[in-house]
Amino acid sequence: MSKNSELQERRVHAVPRGVSNSLAVYTERASNAELWDVEGRRYVDFASGISVLNTGHVHPKVKDAIARQLEKFTHSAFQVTPYESYIALAEALNGLAPGATPKKTIFLTTGAEAVENAIKIARFHTKRSGVIAFSGGFHGRTLACISLTGKVQPYKAGFGPMLPEIYHLPFPMPYHGVTVEHSLAALEHLFKADIDPARVAAIIIEPVLGEGGFYAAPTELLRKLRSVCDTHGIVLIADEIQSGFGRTGRMFAIEHSGVEPDLITIAKSVAGGVPLSAVTGKAEIMDAPPPGGLGGTYAGSPLACAAGLAVLEVMREEQLLKRAQEIGRFMSTRLKGLQVRFPCLGEVRALGAMVAVELVKNGRADSPDPELTKAVVQAAGQQGLILLSCGVYANVIRFLAALTIPDAVLKEGFTLFEQALGEVAGGTLPVQAAG
Ligand SMILES: Cc1ncc(COP(=O)(O)O)c(C=O)c1O
């Protein structure tokens, strides 16, 4: 028995099935956009640990920063005896958050915790309880977060009751016939039929849906939400946990719209693989809860803050925002090029390096193909490529290569994707280059 299958066997007995794995590939080590399994096999990594590694696996600068911090101390609890790196990283994020309004930042540990805290801050600030979220949105797996998440299976079913006073609007997905007009009409209807806007604490939106399938929120929608929030004193929360930290070619995806949110939730790529999350927002709102109302034992751990400061340095030095645009252009051009050979490739979406393609039957948007999508992910794994799916119909392949990926590895990864697709979807033969 190989080591991967041995470990898989042990995993089945020791770990509950509720936490799933895309591939039975057990990681031994990783570097930038490559990963080796316990059997010594190399993979190109287009998953980046679910969008955590925009600066790649074990970036030398991030590794050195963590190692230096390890020599000093690993934990003192910011709430007990604080440390400078927390403040320095907060100052940096306050400066990077869009808009001129002064900002403050609190650090936490997971994305879900950031979302929970953003809701708590918005509720305390407004003294209201209602929250509006979007169908297709994903905000994490804690009870408050699954209440906000707009997908029943597998996130909500059986885990109820959900938090009260949470309402969902349709997220625009033009490919599936949902437009901005639908979303705005639903908002108007919500205020007429279900909740007085004066009872709404927050509207939370992913500027680009992550788990939901990489649909970018149209600028028109974000601007309208901004104005509705301004009119009714509602806190606008941008959940940038997947779309932030350079993935879309801007530090935060909402910058593409010119809208200044009140609060931003941040996690994943902020600390290059060390668990860290944050809420950055307008100082006046962030300061609403009293001392002791926010925090957490490990929140903003010194190792994570050291890593976070190094990540920002790497992003600046290696011009990763520009690189995200290049990667996005490469991937979307190549994917569109494959559509001729593979009618199963539906809409290609890309905002910077947040790139995805829908897999459909007979080229039809209304016939999503989740089985094929699953097969492509597995075939890619066999070929040596780590891929992730997503989407409200589980029929979207998302590409999340590290922004530090060398061109040769990016091209290699795409070729492996093409081979995996050819294996499971057939398609017509590639045109051979002359000579
Ligand atoms: C947009 C968004 N919000 C929140 C979360 C939850 O983050 P975590 O899994 O770190 O709790 C995720 C995770 O995928 C996410 O994509």
Side-chain angles (χ1 to χ4, degrees), residues 83 85-87 89 107 271 274-276 299-310:
Y83 33 90
S85 56
Y86 188 118
I87 297 164
L89 191 56
F107 290 108
V274 185
L276 182 70
S301 110
L303 292 174
C305 289
L309 288 166

Side-chain angles (χ1 to χ4, degrees), residues 173-225:
M173 296 180 187
Y175 188 62
H176 294 290
V178 185
T179 62
V180 181
E181 289 71 32
H182 287 122
S183 309
L184 296 178
L187 180 61
E188 211 179 304
H189 183 262
L190 185 74
F191 286 158
K192 265 205 189 98
D194 292 312
I195 186 167
D196 178 355
R199 297 274 324 129
V200 177
I203 299 180
I204 182 164
I205 185 165
E206 291 165 82
V208 184
L209 276 193
E211 303 299 304
F214 285 24
Y215 298 89
T219 294
E220 187 190 345
L221 175 67
L222 294 168
R223 290 203 178 136
K224 180 68 187 176
L225 294 180

Side-chain angles (χ1 to χ4, degrees), residues 276-422:
L276 182 70
S277 66
V279 183
T280 297
K282 292 180 178 168
E284 185 208 346
I285 301 176
M286 294 292 293
D287 266 333
L294 305 174
T297 306
Y298 295 110
S301 110
L303 292 174
C305 289
L309 288 166
V311 161
L312 287 177
E313 212 179 297
V314 170
M315 288 187 69
R316 263 192 312 270
E317 283 175 6
E318 301 187 19
Q319 299 184 45
L320 294 187
L321 300 184
K322 189 165 147 257
R323 180 66 180 149
Q325 301 283 6
E326 287 165 11
I327 292 171
R329 271 194 297 275
F330 170 82
M331 292 297 293
S332 54
T333 310
R334 294 290 294 267
L335 282 167
K336 284 176 187 158
L338 282 187
Q339 282 171 324
V340 185
R341 271 176 60 204
F342 295 99
C344 63
L345 292 183
E347 185 174 66
V348 173
R349 292 185 288 276
L351 190 62
M354 201 159 178
V355 182
V357 62
E358 299 237 355
L359 298 193
V360 293
K361 293 174 190 153
N362 309 317
R364 293 177 55 116
D366 61 358
S367 300
D369 200 338
E371 293 79 23
L372 179 65
T373 310
K374 232 184 232 165
V376 171
V377 170
Q378 293 307 314
Q382 297 288 331
Q383 299 278 351
L385 173 69
I386 302 168
L387 269 188
L388 279 180
S389 61
C390 63
V392 284
Y393 304 107
N395 72 317
V396 177
I397 299 282
R398 54 178 150 170
F399 300 90
L400 288 164
L403 305 180
T404 46
I405 191 170
D407 277 338
V409 182
L410 181 66
K411 286 182 186 148
E412 182 191 352
F414 194 86
T415 304
L416 293 171
F417 168 70
E418 196 175 332
Q419 284 166 7
L421 195 63

Side-chain angles (χ1 to χ4, degrees), residues 50 109-113 115 138-141 145 206 208 210-211 239-243 265 267-268 398:
I50 326 183
T109 310
T110 65
E113 229 188 322
V115 171
F138 180 83
H139 299 287
R141 285 186 170 85
C145 291
E206 291 165 82
V208 184
E211 303 299 304
D239 183 346
E240 294 265 9
I241 286 167
Q242 190 152 167
S243 57
T265 52
K268 293 197 187 275
R398 54 178 150 170

